[in-house]
Amino acid sequence: MKRDVCGGETEAEEQSRSDNRASLTQTPQHPQGPEVILPSGRGDRRQDPTIFWGGDRERVSNHMMSVVGAQPFIKPMQPAPSVSPGIQRRHTLPASEVRPLNTQDAISVFEIEREAFISVSGECPLHLDEVRHFLTLCPELSMGWFEEGRLVAFIIGSLWDQDRLTTDALTLHKPRGSTVHIHVLAVHRTFRQQGKGPILMWRYLQYLRCLPNVRRAVLMCEDFLIPFYRKSGFKVLGRCAITVASMTFTEMWYPISGHAYMRRNSEAIRFPQHPLTLPLTKTDEHV
C-alpha cells in the first residue's frame, strides 16, 4: 500500500471512504415489519421498529407493552348520535302526560280509588264496573295524569241534565245535559302532598271550558273536603239529597264560562286556537 508522501491518504483509503458515504445516502432494504402503535394512538404500518428508535429493540418492546397494557383503562370516545335527541325522545314514554282515560285504565283507576277512599270513609264513589261504564260512555269527560306511563291521579265525570244531583246521577250519563257531574278525584298515595290534586282539577275545569255545551260542574263531598274544593273555585250549593249509608254530603258547583287559560304546564292538553266564549244561561243566573 502506497501512502502519500505529504501525509495524505492512499487511493485505497479514499475509495473505501467514498463507498461508506454512498451507503449512508441509500435507503436500506428491510423486510416488512409489524404495525407499530405510536404514542398518539394511531396505527402506522412501518418497517422494523429499530430503524426509528436508534436500534434499541428492548426499549421499543417495553414502550409497545406499556401502550397495549393501558388500553383497558382508556375510556373510548362515544360516537356522535346520528339523530337528534328530540327525535329519539319520540319513541320513549313521556315524563308527564295528561290525557283522557279509557277502559284499559279502569283497573288502575279502581286500585287508586279503593286505597284513597276505603281507608277514609269505607266506601268507593265508583266500583270497578261503574268505572268501566263511564269510561265507555263518556271517556272525554275523564282525565288521567301519567308519570312515565304510570297513572298517578285521575278525574271521572259524566253529563247531568238537572239543577241538583239525585241518586240517578251516580250511574247515569245524560248526553244532552249541560252540567258535568264530577264523580271522583283521587291521587295515588305515593304522589300525595305534591299539589297534583289541585293542578289536575284546575286543568280539568279549563278543559271543560272548551266543550261548547257545558255550563257548569257539580260534585258532592264530605264536609272536611269543602275547603279543598273552595280553593279550586267551587261554591257551596247546599246539602246533597244523596246519602250513602250514614254519610251525608255537601253539593258544590263551579261555573263554566269564559275561555280557557293556558298555565300550570297545561301544554299537554290541546285547546282550540281561538278560545270559546260561552254565555250564561238563565239557569246559571238563578244559581
CSV table of all heavy atoms in Angstrom, one decimal, residues 148-207:
chain,number,residue,atom,x,y,z
A,148,GLU,N,-94.4,8.8,33.4
A,148,GLU,CA,-93.7,7.7,32.7
A,148,GLU,C,-94.5,6.5,32.5
A,148,GLU,O,-94.2,5.3,32.8
A,148,GLU,CB,-92.4,7.3,33.5
A,148,GLU,CG,-91.4,8.5,33.6
A,148,GLU,CD,-90.2,8.1,34.4
A,148,GLU,OE1,-90.1,7.0,34.9
A,148,GLU,OE2,-89.2,8.9,34.4
A,149,GLY,N,-95.8,6.7,32.1
A,149,GLY,CA,-96.7,5.6,31.8
A,149,GLY,C,-97.5,5.1,32.9
A,149,GLY,O,-98.3,4.2,32.7
A,150,ARG,N,-97.3,5.6,34.1
A,150,ARG,CA,-98.0,5.1,35.3
A,150,ARG,C,-99.0,6.2,35.8
A,150,ARG,O,-98.8,7.3,35.9
A,150,ARG,CB,-97.0,4.9,36.5
A,150,ARG,CG,-97.6,4.5,37.8
A,150,ARG,CD,-96.5,4.5,38.9
A,150,ARG,NE,-97.0,4.0,40.1
A,150,ARG,CZ,-96.3,4.0,41.3
A,150,ARG,NH1,-95.1,4.4,41.3
A,150,ARG,NH2,-96.9,3.6,42.4
A,151,LEU,N,-100.3,5.7,36.0
A,151,LEU,CA,-101.3,6.6,36.4
A,151,LEU,C,-101.1,7.0,37.9
A,151,LEU,O,-100.9,6.2,38.8
A,151,LEU,CB,-102.7,5.8,36.3
A,151,LEU,CG,-103.9,6.6,36.7
A,151,LEU,CD1,-104.1,7.8,35.7
A,151,LEU,CD2,-105.2,5.7,36.7
A,152,VAL,N,-101.1,8.3,38.1
A,152,VAL,CA,-100.9,8.9,39.4
A,152,VAL,C,-102.0,9.7,40.0
A,152,VAL,O,-102.1,9.9,41.2
A,152,VAL,CB,-99.6,9.7,39.5
A,152,VAL,CG1,-98.4,8.9,39.0
A,152,VAL,CG2,-99.7,10.9,38.6
A,153,ALA,N,-102.9,10.1,39.1
A,153,ALA,CA,-104.1,10.9,39.5
A,153,ALA,C,-105.1,10.9,38.4
A,153,ALA,O,-104.8,10.8,37.2
A,153,ALA,CB,-103.7,12.3,39.9
A,154,PHE,N,-106.4,11.0,38.8
A,154,PHE,CA,-107.4,11.0,37.7
A,154,PHE,C,-108.7,11.7,38.2
A,154,PHE,O,-108.9,11.9,39.4
A,154,PHE,CB,-107.7,9.5,37.4
A,154,PHE,CG,-108.4,8.8,38.5
A,154,PHE,CD1,-109.8,8.8,38.6
A,154,PHE,CD2,-107.7,8.1,39.4
A,154,PHE,CE1,-110.5,8.1,39.6
A,154,PHE,CE2,-108.3,7.3,40.4
A,154,PHE,CZ,-109.7,7.3,40.5
A,155,ILE,N,-109.5,12.0,37.2
A,155,ILE,CA,-110.9,12.6,37.5
A,155,ILE,C,-111.8,11.8,36.5
A,155,ILE,O,-111.5,11.6,35.3
A,155,ILE,CB,-110.9,14.1,37.2
A,155,ILE,CG1,-110.1,14.8,38.3
A,155,ILE,CG2,-112.4,14.6,37.2
A,155,ILE,CD1,-110.0,16.3,38.0
A,156,ILE,N,-113.0,11.5,37.0
A,156,ILE,CA,-114.0,10.9,36.1
A,156,ILE,C,-115.3,11.7,36.3
A,156,ILE,O,-115.7,12.0,37.4
A,156,ILE,CB,-114.3,9.4,36.5
A,156,ILE,CG1,-113.0,8.6,36.2
A,156,ILE,CG2,-115.5,8.8,35.8
A,156,ILE,CD1,-113.2,7.1,36.5
A,157,GLY,N,-115.9,12.1,35.2
A,157,GLY,CA,-117.1,12.8,35.2
A,157,GLY,C,-118.1,12.3,34.2
A,157,GLY,O,-117.8,11.4,33.3
A,158,SER,N,-119.4,12.8,34.2
A,158,SER,CA,-120.4,12.5,33.3
A,158,SER,C,-121.4,13.7,33.2
A,158,SER,O,-121.3,14.6,34.0
A,158,SER,CB,-121.2,11.2,33.7
A,158,SER,OG,-121.8,11.4,34.9
A,159,LEU,N,-122.2,13.6,32.2
A,159,LEU,CA,-123.1,14.7,32.0
A,159,LEU,C,-124.4,14.5,32.8
A,159,LEU,O,-124.9,13.4,32.9
A,159,LEU,CB,-123.4,14.9,30.5
A,159,LEU,CG,-122.3,15.6,29.6
A,159,LEU,CD1,-122.7,15.6,28.2
A,159,LEU,CD2,-122.0,17.0,30.1
A,160,TRP,N,-125.0,15.6,33.3
A,160,TRP,CA,-126.2,15.6,34.0
A,160,TRP,C,-127.1,16.7,33.5
A,160,TRP,O,-126.6,17.8,33.0
A,160,TRP,CB,-125.9,15.7,35.5
A,160,TRP,CG,-127.1,15.6,36.4
A,160,TRP,CD1,-127.6,16.6,37.3
A,160,TRP,CD2,-128.0,14.5,36.6
A,160,TRP,NE1,-128.7,16.1,38.0
A,160,TRP,CE2,-128.9,14.8,37.5
A,160,TRP,CE3,-128.0,13.2,36.0
A,160,TRP,CZ2,-130.0,14.0,37.9
A,160,TRP,CZ3,-129.0,12.3,36.4
A,160,TRP,CH2,-130.0,12.7,37.4
A,161,ASP,N,-128.5,16.5,33.6
A,161,ASP,CA,-129.4,17.5,33.0
A,161,ASP,C,-130.3,18.1,33.9
A,161,ASP,O,-131.4,18.7,33.5
A,161,ASP,CB,-130.2,16.8,31.9
A,161,ASP,CG,-131.0,15.6,32.4
A,161,ASP,OD1,-130.8,15.2,33.6
A,161,ASP,OD2,-131.7,15.0,31.6
A,162,GLN,N,-130.0,18.1,35.2
A,162,GLN,CA,-130.9,18.7,36.2
A,162,GLN,C,-130.1,19.7,37.1
A,162,GLN,O,-128.8,19.7,37.1
A,162,GLN,CB,-131.5,17.7,37.1
A,162,GLN,CG,-132.4,16.7,36.4
A,162,GLN,CD,-133.1,15.7,37.3
A,162,GLN,OE1,-133.3,16.0,38.5
A,162,GLN,NE2,-133.5,14.6,36.7
A,163,ASP,N,-130.8,20.6,37.8
A,163,ASP,CA,-130.1,21.6,38.6
A,163,ASP,C,-129.4,21.0,39.8
A,163,ASP,O,-128.3,21.5,40.2
A,163,ASP,CB,-131.1,22.6,39.1
A,163,ASP,CG,-131.7,23.5,37.9
A,163,ASP,OD1,-131.0,23.5,36.9
A,163,ASP,OD2,-132.8,24.0,38.1
A,164,ARG,N,-130.0,20.0,40.4
A,164,ARG,CA,-129.4,19.3,41.6
A,164,ARG,C,-129.2,17.8,41.3
A,164,ARG,O,-129.8,17.2,40.5
A,164,ARG,CB,-130.3,19.5,42.8
A,164,ARG,CG,-130.6,21.0,43.2
A,164,ARG,CD,-129.3,21.7,43.7
A,164,ARG,NE,-128.8,21.1,44.9
A,164,ARG,CZ,-129.1,21.6,46.1
A,164,ARG,NH1,-129.9,22.6,46.3
A,164,ARG,NH2,-128.5,21.0,47.2
A,165,LEU,N,-128.2,17.3,42.1
A,165,LEU,CA,-127.9,15.9,41.9
A,165,LEU,C,-129.0,15.0,42.6
A,165,LEU,O,-129.4,15.3,43.7
A,165,LEU,CB,-126.5,15.6,42.5
A,165,LEU,CG,-125.3,16.2,41.8
A,165,LEU,CD1,-124.1,15.9,42.6
A,165,LEU,CD2,-125.2,15.8,40.3
A,166,THR,N,-129.3,13.9,42.0
A,166,THR,CA,-130.1,12.9,42.6
A,166,THR,C,-129.4,11.5,42.5
A,166,THR,O,-128.3,11.4,42.0
A,166,THR,CB,-131.5,12.8,41.8
A,166,THR,OG1,-131.2,12.3,40.5
A,166,THR,CG2,-132.2,14.1,41.8
A,167,THR,N,-130.1,10.5,43.1
A,167,THR,CA,-129.5,9.2,43.1
A,167,THR,C,-129.1,8.7,41.7
A,167,THR,O,-128.2,8.0,41.4
A,167,THR,CB,-130.4,8.2,43.8
A,167,THR,OG1,-130.7,8.7,45.1
A,167,THR,CG2,-129.7,6.8,43.9
A,168,ASP,N,-130.0,9.0,40.7
A,168,ASP,CA,-129.7,8.6,39.3
A,168,ASP,C,-128.4,9.2,38.8
A,168,ASP,O,-127.8,8.6,37.9
A,168,ASP,CB,-130.9,9.0,38.4
A,168,ASP,CG,-132.1,8.3,38.7
A,168,ASP,OD1,-132.1,7.2,39.3
A,168,ASP,OD2,-133.2,8.8,38.4
A,169,ALA,N,-128.0,10.3,39.3
A,169,ALA,CA,-126.7,10.9,38.8
A,169,ALA,C,-125.5,10.1,39.1
A,169,ALA,O,-124.4,10.3,38.5
A,169,ALA,CB,-126.6,12.3,39.4
A,170,LEU,N,-125.6,9.1,40.0
A,170,LEU,CA,-124.5,8.3,40.4
A,170,LEU,C,-124.2,7.2,39.3
A,170,LEU,O,-123.1,6.7,39.2
A,170,LEU,CB,-124.8,7.6,41.7
A,170,LEU,CG,-125.0,8.5,42.9
A,170,LEU,CD1,-125.2,7.6,44.2
A,170,LEU,CD2,-123.8,9.4,43.1
A,171,THR,N,-125.2,6.9,38.5
A,171,THR,CA,-125.0,5.8,37.5
A,171,THR,C,-125.3,6.2,36.1
A,171,THR,O,-125.0,5.5,35.1
A,171,THR,CB,-125.9,4.6,37.9
A,171,THR,OG1,-127.2,5.0,38.0
A,171,THR,CG2,-125.4,4.0,39.2
A,172,LEU,N,-126.0,7.4,35.9
A,172,LEU,CA,-126.5,7.7,34.5
A,172,LEU,C,-125.6,8.8,33.9
A,172,LEU,O,-125.0,9.6,34.6
A,172,LEU,CB,-127.9,8.2,34.6
A,172,LEU,CG,-129.0,7.2,35.1
A,172,LEU,CD1,-130.4,7.9,35.1
A,172,LEU,CD2,-129.0,6.0,34.2
A,173,HIS,N,-125.6,8.7,32.6
A,173,HIS,CA,-124.9,9.8,31.8
A,173,HIS,C,-125.9,10.3,30.8
A,173,HIS,O,-126.5,9.6,30.0
A,173,HIS,CB,-123.7,9.1,31.0
A,173,HIS,CG,-123.2,10.0,29.9
A,173,HIS,ND1,-122.6,11.3,30.2
A,173,HIS,CD2,-123.1,9.9,28.5
A,173,HIS,CE1,-122.2,11.8,29.1
A,173,HIS,NE2,-122.5,11.0,28.0
A,174,LYS,N,-126.2,11.7,30.9
A,174,LYS,CA,-127.2,12.3,30.1
A,174,LYS,C,-126.4,13.1,29.0
A,174,LYS,O,-125.9,14.2,29.2
A,174,LYS,CB,-128.0,13.3,30.9
A,174,LYS,CG,-128.7,12.6,32.1
A,174,LYS,CD,-129.9,11.8,31.6
A,174,LYS,CE,-130.8,11.3,32.7
A,174,LYS,NZ,-132.0,10.6,32.2
A,175,PRO,N,-126.4,12.5,27.8
A,175,PRO,CA,-125.6,13.2,26.7
A,175,PRO,C,-126.0,14.6,26.4
A,175,PRO,O,-125.2,15.4,25.9
A,175,PRO,CB,-125.8,12.2,25.5
A,175,PRO,CG,-126.2,10.9,26.1
A,175,PRO,CD,-127.0,11.3,27.3
A,176,ARG,N,-127.3,14.9,26.6
A,176,ARG,CA,-127.8,16.3,26.3
A,176,ARG,C,-127.7,17.2,27.5
A,176,ARG,O,-128.2,18.4,27.4
A,176,ARG,CB,-129.2,16.2,25.8
A,176,ARG,CG,-129.3,15.4,24.4
A,176,ARG,CD,-130.7,15.5,23.9
A,176,ARG,NE,-130.9,14.8,22.6
A,176,ARG,CZ,-132.0,14.7,21.9
A,176,ARG,NH1,-133.1,15.3,22.4
A,176,ARG,NH2,-132.0,14.0,20.8
A,177,GLY,N,-127.1,16.8,28.5
A,177,GLY,CA,-127.0,17.7,29.7
A,177,GLY,C,-126.0,18.7,29.5
A,177,GLY,O,-125.0,18.6,28.7
A,178,SER,N,-126.1,19.8,30.3
A,178,SER,CA,-125.1,20.9,30.3
A,178,SER,C,-124.3,21.0,31.6
A,178,SER,O,-123.5,21.9,31.7
A,178,SER,CB,-125.8,22.2,30.0
A,178,SER,OG,-126.8,22.5,31.0
A,179,THR,N,-124.5,20.0,32.5
A,179,THR,CA,-123.8,20.0,33.7
A,179,THR,C,-122.9,18.8,33.8
A,179,THR,O,-123.3,17.7,33.5
A,179,THR,CB,-124.8,20.0,34.9
A,179,THR,OG1,-125.6,21.2,34.9
A,179,THR,CG2,-124.1,19.9,36.3
A,180,VAL,N,-121.6,19.0,34.2
A,180,VAL,CA,-120.7,17.9,34.3
A,180,VAL,C,-120.7,17.5,35.8
A,180,VAL,O,-120.4,18.3,36.7
A,180,VAL,CB,-119.3,18.3,33.9
A,180,VAL,CG1,-118.3,17.1,34.2
A,180,VAL,CG2,-119.3,18.5,32.4
A,181,HIS,N,-121.1,16.2,36.1
A,181,HIS,CA,-121.0,15.7,37.4
A,181,HIS,C,-119.7,15.1,37.6
A,181,HIS,O,-119.4,14.1,37.0
A,181,HIS,CB,-122.2,14.7,37.6
A,181,HIS,CG,-122.1,14.0,38.9
A,181,HIS,ND1,-122.6,12.7,39.2
A,181,HIS,CD2,-121.5,14.4,40.1
A,181,HIS,CE1,-122.4,12.4,40.4
A,181,HIS,NE2,-121.7,13.3,41.0
A,182,ILE,N,-118.9,15.6,38.5
A,182,ILE,CA,-117.6,15.1,38.8
A,182,ILE,C,-117.7,14.0,39.9
A,182,ILE,O,-118.1,14.3,41.0
A,182,ILE,CB,-116.6,16.2,39.3
A,182,ILE,CG1,-116.4,17.2,38.2
A,182,ILE,CG2,-115.2,15.6,39.7
A,182,ILE,CD1,-115.6,18.4,38.6
A,183,HIS,N,-117.6,12.7,39.5
A,183,HIS,CA,-117.8,11.6,40.4
A,183,HIS,C,-116.7,11.5,41.4
A,183,HIS,O,-116.9,11.2,42.6
A,183,HIS,CB,-118.0,10.3,39.6
A,183,HIS,CG,-119.2,10.3,38.7
A,183,HIS,ND1,-120.4,9.8,39.2
A,183,HIS,CD2,-119.4,10.7,37.5
A,183,HIS,CE1,-121.3,9.9,38.3
A,183,HIS,NE2,-120.7,10.4,37.2
A,184,VAL,N,-115.4,11.6,40.9
A,184,VAL,CA,-114.3,11.2,41.8
A,184,VAL,C,-113.1,11.9,41.3
A,184,VAL,O,-112.8,12.1,40.1
A,184,VAL,CB,-114.1,9.7,41.9
A,184,VAL,CG1,-113.9,9.1,40.5
A,184,VAL,CG2,-112.9,9.3,42.8
A,185,LEU,N,-112.3,12.4,42.3
A,185,LEU,CA,-110.9,12.9,42.1
A,185,LEU,C,-110.1,12.1,43.1
A,185,LEU,O,-110.3,12.2,44.3
A,185,LEU,CB,-110.8,14.4,42.3
A,185,LEU,CG,-109.4,15.0,42.6
A,185,LEU,CD1,-108.5,14.8,41.3
A,185,LEU,CD2,-109.5,16.4,43.0
A,186,ALA,N,-109.0,11.5,42.6
A,186,ALA,CA,-108.1,10.7,43.5
A,186,ALA,C,-106.7,10.8,43.0
A,186,ALA,O,-106.4,10.9,41.8
A,186,ALA,CB,-108.6,9.2,43.6
A,187,VAL,N,-105.8,10.7,44.0
A,187,VAL,CA,-104.3,10.7,43.7
A,187,VAL,C,-103.7,9.5,44.4
A,187,VAL,O,-104.1,9.1,45.5
A,187,VAL,CB,-103.7,12.0,44.3
A,187,VAL,CG1,-102.2,12.1,44.0
A,187,VAL,CG2,-104.4,13.3,43.7
A,188,HIS,N,-102.8,8.9,43.7
A,188,HIS,CA,-102.0,7.8,44.2
A,188,HIS,C,-101.3,8.1,45.5
A,188,HIS,O,-100.8,9.3,45.6
A,188,HIS,CB,-101.0,7.3,43.2
A,188,HIS,CG,-100.5,5.9,43.5
A,188,HIS,ND1,-99.4,5.7,44.4
A,188,HIS,CD2,-100.8,4.7,43.0
A,188,HIS,CE1,-99.1,4.4,44.4
A,188,HIS,NE2,-99.9,3.8,43.6
A,189,ARG,N,-101.3,7.2,46.4
A,189,ARG,CA,-100.7,7.5,47.8
A,189,ARG,C,-99.3,8.0,47.7
A,189,ARG,O,-98.9,8.9,48.6
A,189,ARG,CB,-100.9,6.3,48.7
A,189,ARG,CG,-100.1,5.1,48.2
A,189,ARG,CD,-100.2,3.9,49.2
A,189,ARG,NE,-99.5,2.8,48.8
A,189,ARG,CZ,-99.9,1.9,48.0
A,189,ARG,NH1,-101.1,2.0,47.4
A,189,ARG,NH2,-99.1,0.8,47.6
A,190,THR,N,-98.5,7.5,46.8
A,190,THR,CA,-97.1,7.9,46.8
A,190,THR,C,-96.9,9.3,46.1
A,190,THR,O,-95.7,9.8,46.2
A,190,THR,CB,-96.2,6.9,46.0
A,190,THR,OG1,-96.7,6.8,44.7
A,190,THR,CG2,-96.3,5.5,46.7
A,191,PHE,N,-97.9,9.9,45.6
A,191,PHE,CA,-97.8,11.2,44.9
A,191,PHE,C,-98.7,12.2,45.6
A,191,PHE,O,-98.9,13.3,45.0
A,191,PHE,CB,-98.2,11.1,43.5
A,191,PHE,CG,-97.3,10.2,42.6
A,191,PHE,CD1,-97.5,8.8,42.5
A,191,PHE,CD2,-96.2,10.8,42.0
A,191,PHE,CE1,-96.6,8.1,41.8
A,191,PHE,CE2,-95.3,10.0,41.2
A,191,PHE,CZ,-95.5,8.6,41.1
A,192,ARG,N,-99.1,12.0,46.8
A,192,ARG,CA,-99.9,13.0,47.5
A,192,ARG,C,-99.0,14.0,48.2
A,192,ARG,O,-97.8,13.8,48.3
A,192,ARG,CB,-100.8,12.3,48.6
A,192,ARG,CG,-101.9,11.4,47.9
A,192,ARG,CD,-102.6,10.6,48.9
A,192,ARG,NE,-103.5,9.6,48.3
A,192,ARG,CZ,-103.9,8.5,48.9
A,192,ARG,NH1,-103.7,8.2,50.1
A,192,ARG,NH2,-104.7,7.6,48.2
A,193,GLN,N,-99.7,15.1,48.6
A,193,GLN,CA,-98.9,16.2,49.3
A,193,GLN,C,-97.9,16.8,48.3
A,193,GLN,O,-96.9,17.4,48.7
A,193,GLN,CB,-98.2,15.7,50.5
A,193,GLN,CG,-99.1,15.0,51.6
A,193,GLN,CD,-100.3,15.9,52.0
A,193,GLN,OE1,-100.0,17.1,52.2
A,193,GLN,NE2,-101.4,15.4,52.3
A,194,GLN,N,-98.2,16.7,47.0
A,194,GLN,CA,-97.4,17.4,46.0
A,194,GLN,C,-98.1,18.4,45.1
A,194,GLN,O,-97.6,18.9,44.2
A,194,GLN,CB,-96.7,16.3,45.1
A,194,GLN,CG,-95.9,15.3,45.8
A,194,GLN,CD,-95.3,14.2,44.9
A,194,GLN,OE1,-95.3,14.4,43.7
A,194,GLN,NE2,-94.8,13.1,45.5
A,195,GLY,N,-99.4,18.6,45.5
A,195,GLY,CA,-100.2,19.6,44.7
A,195,GLY,C,-100.8,19.0,43.4
A,195,GLY,O,-101.3,19.8,42.6
A,196,LYS,N,-100.7,17.7,43.2
A,196,LYS,CA,-101.2,17.2,42.0
A,196,LYS,C,-102.7,17.2,41.9
A,196,LYS,O,-103.3,17.4,40.8
A,196,LYS,CB,-100.7,15.7,41.8
A,196,LYS,CG,-99.3,15.6,41.3
A,196,LYS,CD,-98.9,14.2,41.1
A,196,LYS,CE,-97.6,14.1,40.3
A,196,LYS,NZ,-96.5,14.9,40.9
A,197,GLY,N,-103.4,17.1,43.0
A,197,GLY,CA,-104.9,17.1,43.0
A,197,GLY,C,-105.4,18.5,42.6
A,197,GLY,O,-106.2,18.6,41.6
A,198,PRO,N,-105.0,19.6,43.2
A,198,PRO,CA,-105.5,20.9,42.7
A,198,PRO,C,-105.1,21.2,41.3
A,198,PRO,O,-105.9,21.8,40.5
A,198,PRO,CB,-104.8,21.9,43.7
A,198,PRO,CG,-104.6,21.1,44.9
A,198,PRO,CD,-104.2,19.7,44.4
A,199,ILE,N,-103.9,20.8,40.9
A,199,ILE,CA,-103.4,21.1,39.5
A,199,ILE,C,-104.3,20.3,38.5
A,199,ILE,O,-104.7,20.9,37.5
A,199,ILE,CB,-101.9,20.7,39.3
A,199,ILE,CG1,-101.1,21.7,40.1
A,199,ILE,CG2,-101.5,20.8,37.8
A,199,ILE,CD1,-99.6,21.3,40.1
A,200,LEU,N,-104.5,19.1,38.8
A,200,LEU,CA,-105.4,18.3,37.9
A,200,LEU,C,-106.8,18.8,37.8
A,200,LEU,O,-107.4,18.9,36.7
A,200,LEU,CB,-105.4,16.8,38.3
A,200,LEU,CG,-106.1,15.9,37.3
A,200,LEU,CD1,-105.4,15.8,36.0
A,200,LEU,CD2,-106.2,14.4,37.9
A,201,MET,N,-107.3,19.2,38.9
A,201,MET,CA,-108.7,19.8,38.9
A,201,MET,C,-108.7,21.1,38.1
A,201,MET,O,-109.7,21.3,37.3
A,201,MET,CB,-109.2,20.1,40.4
A,201,MET,CG,-110.5,20.8,40.5
A,201,MET,SD,-111.9,19.8,39.7
A,201,MET,CE,-112.1,18.6,41.0
A,202,TRP,N,-107.7,21.9,38.3
A,202,TRP,CA,-107.7,23.2,37.5
A,202,TRP,C,-107.6,22.9,36.0
A,202,TRP,O,-108.3,23.5,35.2
A,202,TRP,CB,-106.4,24.0,37.9
A,202,TRP,CG,-106.4,25.4,37.3
A,202,TRP,CD1,-106.9,26.5,37.8
A,202,TRP,CD2,-105.8,25.7,36.0
A,202,TRP,NE1,-106.6,27.5,36.9
A,202,TRP,CE2,-106.0,27.1,35.8
A,202,TRP,CE3,-105.1,24.9,35.1
A,202,TRP,CZ2,-105.5,27.7,34.7
A,202,TRP,CZ3,-104.6,25.6,33.9
A,202,TRP,CH2,-104.8,26.9,33.7
A,203,ARG,N,-106.8,22.0,35.6
A,203,ARG,CA,-106.7,21.6,34.2
A,203,ARG,C,-108.0,21.0,33.7
A,203,ARG,O,-108.4,21.2,32.5
A,203,ARG,CB,-105.5,20.7,34.0
A,203,ARG,CG,-104.2,21.4,34.3
A,203,ARG,CD,-103.0,20.4,34.2
A,203,ARG,NE,-102.7,20.1,32.8
A,203,ARG,CZ,-101.6,19.5,32.4
A,203,ARG,NH1,-100.6,19.2,33.3
A,203,ARG,NH2,-101.4,19.3,31.2
A,204,TYR,N,-108.6,20.2,34.5
A,204,TYR,CA,-109.9,19.7,34.1
A,204,TYR,C,-111.0,20.7,33.9
A,204,TYR,O,-111.7,20.7,32.9
A,204,TYR,CB,-110.4,18.7,35.2
A,204,TYR,CG,-111.6,17.9,34.8
A,204,TYR,CD1,-111.6,16.8,33.9
A,204,TYR,CD2,-112.9,18.2,35.4
A,204,TYR,CE1,-112.7,16.1,33.6
A,204,TYR,CE2,-114.0,17.5,35.1
A,204,TYR,CZ,-113.9,16.5,34.2
A,204,TYR,OH,-115.1,15.8,33.8
A,205,LEU,N,-111.0,21.7,34.8
A,205,LEU,CA,-112.0,22.8,34.6
A,205,LEU,C,-111.7,23.6,33.4
A,205,LEU,O,-112.6,24.1,32.7
A,205,LEU,CB,-112.0,23.7,35.9
A,205,LEU,CG,-112.5,22.9,37.1
A,205,LEU,CD1,-112.4,23.8,38.4
A,205,LEU,CD2,-114.0,22.5,37.0
A,206,GLN,N,-110.4,23.9,33.1
A,206,GLN,CA,-110.1,24.6,31.9
A,206,GLN,C,-110.4,23.8,30.6
A,206,GLN,O,-110.9,24.4,29.6
A,206,GLN,CB,-108.6,24.9,31.9
A,206,GLN,CG,-108.1,25.8,33.0
A,206,GLN,CD,-108.9,27.0,33.2
A,206,GLN,OE1,-109.1,27.8,32.2
A,206,GLN,NE2,-109.4,27.3,34.4
A,207,TYR,N,-110.3,22.5,30.7
A,207,TYR,CA,-110.7,21.7,29.6
A,207,TYR,C,-112.2,21.7,29.3
A,207,TYR,O,-112.7,21.8,28.2
A,207,TYR,CB,-110.3,20.2,29.9
A,207,TYR,CG,-110.9,19.2,28.9
A,207,TYR,CD1,-110.5,19.1,27.6
A,207,TYR,CD2,-111.8,18.3,29.4
A,207,TYR,CE1,-111.0,18.2,26.7
A,207,TYR,CE2,-112.4,17.4,28.5
A,207,TYR,CZ,-112.0,17.3,27.2
A,207,TYR,OH,-112.5,16.4,26.3
